[in-house]
Amino acid sequence: MAKIDLTRTELVWPGKYNEDGTRKEVPRVSLPFQVIETVNESRATREVKKGGVQGGLFDVYDGKEGDTFEAGWRNKLILGDNLLVMGSLLEKFAGKVDLIYIDPPFGTGSDFSQKYLVDAEGIRLASVNEQEDFEKEASIIEELTYRDTWGGGLDSYLAMIAPRLRLMRDLLSTRGTLFVHVDYHVQHSVKLLLDETFGPTNFVNELVWHYYNKMAPVSRCFPRASDRILVYAKNFGEHIFNKLEELRDEPVKQLKRKLVGGKAINVRNDAGEVQYQLRDARRLDDVWRISCLQPADKTENVGFRTQKPLELLRRIIRASTDEHSLIADFFCGSGTSLVAAESLVNERGARMPSRRWMGCDIGRYSLHATRKRLLDIEGCRPFDVLNLGKYERQYWQGVTFGNANDNPLTEQALYEYLAFILKLYGAQPVAGLIHLHGKKGKALVHIGAVDECAKLKQIELHVLGWE
């Protein structure tokens, strides 16, 4: 086991090391995935076919020569705790992912509840300003994750993100790159963690995303109008990197230059005259000026509070992948990275070959929002919706309540588990009943699968189930 190394500088927080000085190991579980749904065709593609137009190039993916994955690959949208999901992906995908982009919570302590209208599947239909207000309430596990897991401040945030960064490094290919989207709250600390995990020599860039159209509140500081994206390679120098350009508002006249002996010199004609050219594009540097999404934007804004613009993710994918690359986003939120991978275009708006992808989030609303956006893309390739099902619940129960093995929960551990869930729900325990575990107001509460309650006859019954 790794112990504290006093010969190097590192970021240390309470809980990073065990009492004997050894570093806490990252859980590397291998739980079986369960396919909830297989999507073979997008709504947009079906609409095109109704009009008598044949499917396009991206309707079916049959695999290509030289691929590292089996023919018939399906993209993957996964519901679950990304720590367990990544651990379970390692067996098959370690060293095979060319790009990982993550946009984790920024440690702001914010409540990310949403207000919107929903349809029968729970998909957002309208914003609060358009029609009647509806409050999106996070599930108990989402509440636990977003508030309690790193509700203890920076220490608990670092304890959350550190093991996940280590798993991401293991999943990256030798040509792979990690992009970590942060802001001023945790940027400095996460940078130190990335130096420790990847090594400072594998640092590639600190990109500045300047969103110039954000309404800034009046305060005693300069308006904050930028985020940071920290970029690290698995192996600097071997990583995929494609030079990017952006179009100018108007073409500019520039000197023609060429490299001679490693130096840039002016290009001259036979008469010795300096040559010029008109250029309508410029090479991108490490400051990206991209507008943030506005509520009135009906083209891509789905009302997800932390949603990022497609152009931001398209630049990242163009820069760090090739045609056959696999990308992953383990905090996929509203699915912008996955939508960008499916609808990839160059700086001039021309369609590029889609990338293979895997996306994961713990929130059901995130899963629904992502699924809906993908279904609206014409030619969206087949994808599976998966989860870890009961295996994730059993693992969580075992680790949290002292039963990490496959044995049934002890009576005391089971009581602690039930009391914990009741406390999260704001209910009081009740004793002496087999199937009923608590009471909230006039309603009785049962914790467990729905089929266990089928024969109960109660005026009002709240069932807290995992599935």
Side-chain angles (χ1 to χ4, degrees):
M1 288 188 177
K3 291 194 174 185
I4 297 177
D5 185 356
L6 298 179
T7 65
R8 69 173 185 180
T9 302
E10 65 173 297
L11 185 64
V12 179
W13 61 89
K16 180 177 182 179
Y17 288 94
N18 298 312
E19 292 183 359
D20 62 357
T22 58
R23 187 172 64 181
K24 290 186 176 179
E25 295 300 315
V26 178
R28 294 175 183 268
V29 300
S30 183
L31 304 178
F33 288 99
Q34 302 174 70
V35 178
I36 306 171
E37 177 189 16
T38 295
V39 178
N40 290 309
E41 190 175 51
S42 71
R43 284 193 295 261
T45 300
R46 287 198 296 271
E47 290 300 316
V48 169
K49 289 184 176 180
K50 285 179 183 177
V53 180
Q54 294 297 317
L57 173 64
F58 303 103
D59 286 349
V60 178
Y61 179 80
D62 293 321
K64 298 179 178 63
E65 184 178 353
D67 282 355
T68 54
F69 303 97
E70 71 280 3
W73 159 265
R74 290 183 182 273
N75 293 320
K76 305 183 187 307
L77 179 59
I78 307 169
L79 175 67
D81 182 343
N82 55 20
L83 187 70
L84 302 182
V85 168
M86 285 189 286
S88 301
L89 289 172
L90 279 175
E91 181 179 354
K92 186 171 184 180
F93 294 101
K96 294 183 178 179
V97 183
D98 285 340
L99 167 64
I100 298 177
Y101 166 85
I102 60 169
D103 180 14
F106 292 166
T108 62
S110 298
D111 178 2
F112 291 112
S113 294
Q114 311 257 349
K115 289 186 177 181
Y116 57 94
L117 278 174
V118 296
D119 63 14
E121 297 183 34
I123 305 300
R124 177 188 178 274
L125 298 177
S127 72
V128 296
N129 295 322
E130 294 168 323
Q131 298 186 44
E132 182 182 354
D133 288 5
F134 280 75
E135 182 74 17
K136 180 262 177 181
E137 296 181 359
S139 70
I140 288 176
I141 298 305
E142 287 179 78
E143 294 281 351
L144 171 66
T145 302
Y146 279 99
R147 293 180 182 174
D148 292 348
T149 302
W150 51 83
L154 182 60
D155 292 349
S156 55
Y157 183 89
L158 296 174
M160 178 278 297
I161 199 69
R164 287 162 171 81
L165 294 177
R166 290 161 65 185
L167 289 174
M168 290 173 202
R169 185 185 185 281
D170 292 342
L171 287 167
L172 282 175
S173 71
T174 56
R175 304 173 69 217
T177 313
L178 172 66
F179 288 70
V180 182
H181 196 136
V182 290
D183 75 350
Y184 67 93
H185 290 93
V186 294
Q187 170 199 352
H188 48 292
S189 300
V190 173
K191 175 71 168 62
L192 291 173
L193 274 182
L194 287 165
D195 279 346
E196 180 181 334
T197 304
F198 285 79
T201 58
N202 287 314
F203 171 73
V204 178
N205 272 115
E206 179 179 320
L207 299 175
V208 178
W209 170 33
H210 174 216
Y211 32 85
Y212 54 87
N213 63 332
K214 183 178 180 180
M215 295 293 291
V218 177
S219 62
R220 295 182 61 84
C221 65
F222 295 108
R224 296 187 177 98
S226 63
D227 287 350
R228 300 296 187 272
I229 302 175
L230 302 172
V231 188
Y232 280 76
K234 181 76 169 280
N235 297 289
F236 187 87
E238 299 180 33
H239 62 292
I240 299 172
F241 180 75
N242 303 309
K243 181 180 69 174
L244 297 185
E245 293 185 331
E246 65 177 349
L247 296 179
R248 298 178 181 272
D249 295 333
E250 295 181 2
V252 297
K253 185 178 180 181
Q254 291 181 333
L255 285 168
K256 278 189 175 183
R257 308 276 284 176
K258 64 180 181 180
L259 284 176
V260 176
K263 294 180 64 177
I265 64 172
N266 295 334
V267 175
R268 298 176 182 272
N269 62 15
D270 294 340
E273 298 169 331
V274 174
Q275 299 298 291
Y276 293 87
Q277 61 183 344
L278 279 178
R279 288 271 292 159
D280 66 350
R282 60 177 291 273
R283 183 176 180 181
L284 275 178
D285 52 29
D286 60 359
V287 178
W288 293 0
R289 191 173 183 266
I290 302 174
S291 61
C292 64
L293 293 178
Q294 295 294 331
D297 179 3
K298 304 301 182 185
T299 59
E300 61 179 272
N301 194 331
V302 298
F304 203 91
R305 193 167 160 190
T306 58
Q307 183 182 348
K308 303 303 185 294
L310 276 170
E311 176 55 25
L312 180 69
L313 273 299
R314 284 172 175 160
R315 285 187 182 184
I316 289 171
I317 294 171
R318 292 198 301 261
S320 299
T321 65
D322 58 30
E323 183 177 349
H324 305 303
S325 289
L326 172 65
I327 74 170
D329 184 345
F330 297 108
F331 292 87
C332 74
S334 63
T336 300
S337 58
L338 313 185
V339 173
E342 277 293 335
S343 59
L344 192 61
V345 296
N346 63 22
E347 65 274 8
R348 298 180 186 274
R351 183 74 180 265
M352 299 176 66
S354 302
R355 296 336 189 218
R356 289 175 291 183
W357 52 260
M358 298 188 294
C360 168
D361 204 282
I362 197 172
R364 290 185 182 274
Y365 175 59
S366 294
L367 188 86
H368 284 309
T370 301
R371 177 183 175 278
K372 181 178 186 298
R373 294 181 73 188
L374 291 168
L375 288 175
D376 287 336
I377 299 174
E378 181 184 336
C380 180
R381 295 163 302 163
F383 64 92
D384 289 330
V385 182
L386 309 98
N387 67 11
L388 296 173
K390 66 179 182 180
Y391 304 102
E392 182 173 11
R393 167 170 55 89
Q394 291 171 349
Y395 178 85
W396 178 80
Q397 286 174 332
V399 171
T400 306
F401 301 99
N403 183 50
N405 300 317
D406 294 332
N407 301 321
L409 288 174
T410 64
E411 184 175 349
Q412 178 63 26
L414 179 60
Y415 171 79
E416 292 177 0
Y417 160 67
L418 294 174
F420 176 75
I421 297 296
L422 288 170
K423 181 180 178 182
L424 288 177
Y425 190 59
Q428 301 298 319
V430 296
L433 298 174
I434 298 176
H435 296 291
L436 302 176
H437 304 119
K439 187 174 183 181
K440 185 175 183 179
K442 295 182 179 180
L444 296 173
V445 178
H446 169 82
I447 300 172
V450 175
D451 56 2
E452 296 176 12
C453 301
K455 297 181 180 179
L456 293 176
K457 297 180 179 179
Q458 302 293 331
I459 296 174
E460 185 176 354
L461 176 66
H462 296 184
V463 179
L464 307 182
W466 285 74
E467 297 299 328

